């Protein structure tokens, strides 16, 4: 009998509590703030917080892969205690390039100490692999390895990008010379792109039969217009060790500073870039 009474009290208590909650909700309802696309909640028929459904499309932040360092090397520059260093970097992203890549070369000694450091900046296009080179680092001690530390990267989204500007290097060669210089690398640069460039960077990497870097050199070529071709020669005044079996030539134009190229592939960027086609 007591259990039956307790059950009845429990049932009536539950019903009474539900009625009170319902009445409280009805009283609160007129004062409930409306659901909007700015309330910081996923409501209405939104697919995310304040986006999707009746709100604007949800913006998915891109997941960018870091620029990779594929190779580093150092070579004797032939001047007292000076050395040249090179790093090979790669951008794995399809639609994002970097208008600025800040780097630091660190020359590490045999005991693990840092013998020398050199900072610089470069740039890289989507899906591009390229060399960065610093010359004439002076330090004492025997280097063991070189490391490249990438510090800050300024990413830019490209629209409709397919490939880097067609700056081709032909007739690449290296020969020992009998004059005041030890050797020279020669070639022909052809601008097969529809763009004019005020500055084209040229990097030459010489390798032996085992693929080891034996010498480095870089220079700039001024004002190379669309369809133009021009010879280049880079010299080594001092001897270096190793036989040259492969001549790699990298041609590089900073398209982030070319207004015509920027308007085509980077429509959201500032229009303060120089228009070389004016």
């Amino acid at each position: 009998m007591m259990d039956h009474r307790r059950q009845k009290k429990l049932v009536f208590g539950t019903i009474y509590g539900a009625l009170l909650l319902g009445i409280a909700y009805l009283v609160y309802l007129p004062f409930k703030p409306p659901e909007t696309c700015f309330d910081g909640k996923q409501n209405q028929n939104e697919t995310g917080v304040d986006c999707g459904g009746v709100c604007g499309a949800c913006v998915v932040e891109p997941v960018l892969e870091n620029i990779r360092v594929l190779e580093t090397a150092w070579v004797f520059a032939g001047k007292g205690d000076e050395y040249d260093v090179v790093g090979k970097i790669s951008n794995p992203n399809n639609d994002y390039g970097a208008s600025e890549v800040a780097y630091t070369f660190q020359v590490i000694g045999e005991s693990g100490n840092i013998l020398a450091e050199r900072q610089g900046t470069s740039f890289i296009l989507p899906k591009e692999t390229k060399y960065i080179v610093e010359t004439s680092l002076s330090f004492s001690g025997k280097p063991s390895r070189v490391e490249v530390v990438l510090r800050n990267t300024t990413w830019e989204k490209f629209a409709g990008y397919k490939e880097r500007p067609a700056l081709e290097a032909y007739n690449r060669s290296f020969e020992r010379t009998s004059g005041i210089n030890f050797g020279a690398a020669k070639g022909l640069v052809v601008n097969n792109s529809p763009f004019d460039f005020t500055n084209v960077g040229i990097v030459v990497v010489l390798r032996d039969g085992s693929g080891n870097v034996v010498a480095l050199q870089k220079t700039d070529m001024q004002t190379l217009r669309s369809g133009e071709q021009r010879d280049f020669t880079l010299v080594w005044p001092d001897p270096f060790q190793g036989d040259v079996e492969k001549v790699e030539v990298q041609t590089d134009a900073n398209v982030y500073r070319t207004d015509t190229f920027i308007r085509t592939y980077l429509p959201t960027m500032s229009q303060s870039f120089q228009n070389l086609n004016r």
Side-chain angles (χ1 to χ4, degrees):
M1 190 68 176
M2 290 296 293
D3 290 342
H4 182 67
R5 288 178 179 175
R6 287 175 182 171
Q7 289 178 358
K8 288 179 66 177
K9 288 182 179 180
L10 182 60
V11 171
F12 282 116
T14 302
I15 295 173
Y16 181 71
L19 288 172
L20 287 177
L21 287 175
I23 293 171
Y25 179 75
L26 291 174
V27 172
Y28 163 76
L29 194 57
F31 302 98
K32 179 184 177 183
E35 295 177 345
T36 70
C37 296
F38 309 98
D39 54 15
K41 299 177 182 178
Q42 183 177 344
N43 44 34
Q44 308 179 89
N45 65 338
E46 299 166 1
T47 57
V49 176
D50 292 339
C51 67
V54 297
C55 303
C58 295
V59 178
V60 179
E61 292 295 329
V63 179
L64 298 178
E65 296 187 54
N66 293 328
I67 295 173
R68 302 165 185 168
V69 179
L70 305 181
E71 180 187 16
T72 60
W74 58 271
V75 294
F76 182 57
K79 301 176 183 178
D81 56 358
E82 291 187 356
Y83 295 81
D84 301 331
V85 292
V86 62
K88 191 175 185 179
I89 62 175
S90 177
N91 176 16
N93 298 290
N94 290 314
D95 300 316
Y96 281 82
S99 58
E100 182 172 297
V101 181
Y103 61 82
T104 301
F105 276 102
Q106 293 183 339
V107 182
I108 311 299
E110 293 180 320
S111 61
N113 57 315
I114 298 177
L115 300 177
E117 286 187 321
R118 174 77 63 82
Q119 295 184 353
T121 59
S122 186
F123 58 92
I124 195 166
L125 295 172
K127 302 299 292 183
E128 184 180 27
T129 297
K130 64 180 293 185
Y131 290 112
I132 50 176
V133 172
E134 293 289 340
T135 59
S136 302
L137 274 74
S138 180
F139 56 89
S140 60
K142 186 176 181 181
S144 174
R145 69 183 189 277
V146 171
E147 295 181 357
V148 176
V149 180
L150 301 179
R151 295 179 282 114
N152 298 312
T153 302
T154 303
W155 293 105
E156 308 289 354
K157 181 174 174 57
F158 279 60
Y161 178 79
K162 293 183 179 180
E163 59 185 8
R164 70 192 300 271
L167 292 167
E168 309 295 343
Y170 300 100
N171 305 331
R172 295 169 292 183
S173 66
F174 174 81
E175 60 181 18
R176 299 284 177 91
T177 57
S178 57
I180 59 174
N181 296 316
F182 173 73
K186 299 180 179 182
L188 177 71
V189 175
V190 180
N191 183 2
N192 290 320
S193 79
F195 309 106
D196 299 337
F197 298 107
T198 57
N199 182 278
V200 174
I202 300 175
V203 171
V204 174
V205 179
L206 304 181
R207 297 180 183 268
D208 62 18
S210 299
N212 300 311
V213 177
V214 296
L216 303 166
Q217 194 60 275
K218 66 177 181 178
T219 189
D220 290 325
M221 181 178 290
Q222 303 299 317
T223 313
L224 188 66
R225 298 191 177 277
S226 176
E228 186 179 1
Q229 62 182 32
R230 195 181 309 166
D231 295 317
F232 70 87
T233 300
L234 282 81
V235 300
W236 281 263
D238 300 301
F240 56 80
Q241 295 183 346
D243 296 323
V244 177
E245 297 292 336
K246 185 177 182 180
V247 180
E248 294 183 78
V249 178
Q250 172 182 286
T251 55
D252 223 1
N254 192 343
V255 298
Y256 296 94
R257 298 178 57 185
T258 306
D259 194 32
T260 300
F261 188 94
I262 294 299
R263 280 205 305 268
T264 303
Y265 295 107
L266 296 171
T268 60
M269 288 190 66
S270 168
Q271 295 300 307
S272 62
F273 295 91
Q274 181 181 11
N275 184 353
L276 300 182
N277 287 333
R278 289 175 184 170

